[in-house]
């Protein structure tokens, strides 16, 4: 029994989709979430900037005495996960491997689509892991940068969202991918529209769900679960005004977000 909290960070608010799954699968664990809301978005920045930001985020959480670090951000996972693992002395989990692993298991024909931010898609991180898992995999990758502001605006249904989904995903549908990895924290909120457009033959992979499963697996194998049959405490830190985090956070978490503190991590 290890009472230390699970640390989770994201470039901003989107990582709450990962926290939501962690809370669902590991309700007894305490969690500390850091959203770097002052510097979001990361998805349009260079690798060196994303790495520098992610060191500051990870160091802040490590100082809070966490037992495991979950990097909820796909962009950070794509460019910095190995560096973060080397930097910290606790287990570090990213979202890319769990998502890619799940896709490789369900893909019927090895025709896999990957969508994410520009940085995630250009890094080739999902593509690399998928190729290791299925050597002759056929990958169609597409950056969908407008999905992030769309979701943050709360426009997750209706015609504007439907048109943007159709425009971005046209090539993936034409390619008849049998599996589509939602490689960005925000995309699970567009799951219904994406599923509607891609059709029933395409299986959608939610990296958030898979990452929570991986977190549970690592906690068990390391013998560091908190199995006290209690409800875990939630704590939130942000690098910019908590007010917006509180409002938009509810869309992501599906419940009220309280106990939010503003921090300077630089
Ligand atoms: N959290 C980012 C990701 O999953 C999306 C938002 C951003 O660009 O920072 O890639």
């Amino acid at each position: 029994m290890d009472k230390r909290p699970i640390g989770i960070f994201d470039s901003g608010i989107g990582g709450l989709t990962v926290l939501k799954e962690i809370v669902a699968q590991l309700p007894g664990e305490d969690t500390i979430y850091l959203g770097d809301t002052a510097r979001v978005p990361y998805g349009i920045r260079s690798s060196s900037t994303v790495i520098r930001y992610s060191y500051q985020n990870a160091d802040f959480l490590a100082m809070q005495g966490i037992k495991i670090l979950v990097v909820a951000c796909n962009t950070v996972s794509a460019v910095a996960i190995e560096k973060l693992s080397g930097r910290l002395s606790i287990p570090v989990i990213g979202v890319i491997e769990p998502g890619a692993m799940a896709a490789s298991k369900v893909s019927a024909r090895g025709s896999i689509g990957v969508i994410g931010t520009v940085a995630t898609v250009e890094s080739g991180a999902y593509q690399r892991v998928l190729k290791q898992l299925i050597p002759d995999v056929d990958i169609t990758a597409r950056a969908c940068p407008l999905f992030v502001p769309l979701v943050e605006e709360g426009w997750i249904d209706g015609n504007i969202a439907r048109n943007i989904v159709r425009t971005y995903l046209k090539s993936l549908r034409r390619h008849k991918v049998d599996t589509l990895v939602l490689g960005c924290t925000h995309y699970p909120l567009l799951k219904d529209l994406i599923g509607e457009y891609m059709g029933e033959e395409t299986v959608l992979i939610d990296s958030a769900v898979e990452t929570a499963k991986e977190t549970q697996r690592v906690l068990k194998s390391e013998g560091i679960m908190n199995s006290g049959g209690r409800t875990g405490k939630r704590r939130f830190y942000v690098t910019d005004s908590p007010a917006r985090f509180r409002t938009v956070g509810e869309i992501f978490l599906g419940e009220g977000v309280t106990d939010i503190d503003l921090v300077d991590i630089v």
Side-chain angles (χ1 to χ4, degrees), residues 9-15 17 33 36 39-45 72-78 95 116-120 145 148-149 152 182-187:
F9 83 78
D10 179 49
S11 55
I13 225 152
T17 52
Y33 181 97
D36 191 8
R39 300 187 292 193
V40 70
Y42 284 13
I44 52 163
R45 299 188 199 282
C73 182
N74 283 258
T75 303
V76 174
S77 300
V95 287
T117 64
V118 173
T120 299
V148 168
E152 296 212 353
L182 308 180
C184 174
T185 45
H186 291 57
Y187 300 0

Side-chain angles (χ1 to χ4, degrees), residues 44-195:
I44 52 163
R45 299 188 199 282
S46 67
S47 312
S48 59
T49 299
V50 173
I51 291 167
R52 182 159 50 85
Y53 290 176
S54 59
Y55 281 174
Q56 290 164 343
N57 295 331
D59 291 352
F60 170 80
L61 285 172
M63 275 178 343
Q64 313 303 310
I66 58 171
K67 60 183 168 185
I68 187 168
L69 175 67
V70 180
V71 177
C73 182
N74 283 258
T75 303
V76 174
S77 300
V79 304
I81 203 72
E82 274 146 35
K83 292 198 160 60
L84 288 172
S85 295
R87 190 174 176 92
L88 302 189
S89 54
I90 50 171
V92 177
I93 294 178
V95 287
I96 307 272
E97 287 208 5
M101 189 80 82
S104 74
K105 281 189 193 143
V106 302
S107 175
R109 289 178 285 106
S111 174
I112 301 181
V114 175
I115 52 175
T117 64
V118 173
T120 299
V121 169
E122 284 185 355
S123 76
Y126 271 111
Q127 294 91 316
R128 258 192 313 278
V129 180
L130 283 168
K131 280 210 174 92
Q132 276 162 15
L133 296 165
I134 313 176
D136 61 349
V137 67
D138 177 20
I139 302 170
T140 314
R142 177 79 160 102
C144 309
L146 282 181
F147 283 1
V148 168
L150 198 64
V151 168
E152 296 212 353
E153 202 56 40
W155 292 359
I156 53 178
D157 47 27
N159 283 341
I160 294 175
R162 199 163 272 119
N163 280 340
I164 295 175
V165 164
R166 189 183 317 135
T167 307
Y168 277 139
L169 303 188
K170 209 175 274 170
S171 55
L172 291 123
R173 197 166 96 154
R174 204 179 311 125
H175 214 83
K176 293 194 167 56
V177 294
D178 62 53
T179 307
L180 178 60
V181 181
L182 308 180
C184 174
T185 45
H186 291 57
Y187 300 0
L189 281 108
L190 291 168
K191 215 190 239 171
D192 289 350
L193 280 193
I194 294 173

Side-chain angles (χ1 to χ4, degrees), residues 199-216:
E200 276 172 11
E201 313 77 56
T202 306
V203 182
L204 302 186
I205 301 294
D206 182 340
S207 296
V209 174
E210 302 306 324
T211 303
K213 284 187 201 157
E214 176 65 5
T215 307
Q216 184 167 34

